[in-house]
Amino acid sequence: MKSFSNIYKILKRLDDMLDLPEVDNEKISAKTLGITELRRARYLIMLENGGYIEGLKVFDEDEPDIGTENLHITLKGIKWLAENAALIKAANIIKEVGGAGVTAAVSAVPNL
């Protein structure tokens, strides 16, 4: 779930930056995301390979050596965000409620 959440954050922040003339790299930095540079680089490479982002420059796939100056979200990335927004909201609610609350809520639903 950690990977899914971080990928969502990256795509969401790139979507939010569509009105900016260039990418604000600080908003998608490894430090801001709370992950390693290598993990961030690998997420961005996966997202570009999947067609969710464009403009990534990869200098070395085995090292966190990438360029993000021309990075932007694609229509496919925007569609993915829309389709997964409900899942992210549900995950956040589960985090807030906690394990005991979730168990009680699930028990209250008939035929589950």
Side-chain angles (χ1 to χ4, degrees):
M1 188 65 173
K2 180 171 91 173
S3 292
F4 181 82
S5 177
N6 284 313
I7 287 169
Y8 182 88
K9 287 177 191 176
I10 291 168
L11 290 176
K12 177 72 173 104
R13 291 172 186 176
L14 288 172
D15 183 54
D16 292 344
M17 287 188 256
L18 282 173
D19 292 322
L20 302 178
E22 57 187 49
V23 173
D24 180 351
N25 283 308
E26 185 59 33
K27 291 185 179 182
I28 58 167
S29 71
K31 183 177 179 182
T32 302
L33 294 167
I35 58 177
T36 65
E37 289 287 343
L38 184 57
R39 180 177 285 269
R40 175 184 172 261
R42 288 180 174 165
Y43 284 154
L44 292 173
I45 292 167
M46 283 188 276
L47 287 168
E48 177 143 280
N49 289 343
Y52 299 101
I53 62 173
E54 290 179 340
L56 184 69
K57 259 190 185 169
V58 180
F59 303 109
D60 186 347
E61 286 194 33
D62 296 327
E63 296 290 328
D65 192 9
I66 56 173
T68 59
E69 294 78 27
N70 298 313
L71 194 63
H72 60 275
I73 191 169
T74 64
L75 182 58
K76 185 176 180 179
I78 293 169
K79 183 178 177 188
W80 187 91
L81 279 175
E83 291 171 349
N84 289 286
L87 184 58
I88 290 294
K89 286 179 186 175
N92 288 335
I93 290 169
I94 289 170
K95 264 200 260 183
E96 288 177 21
V97 172
V102 171
T103 303
V106 170
S107 300
V109 177
N111 300 321
L112 189 59

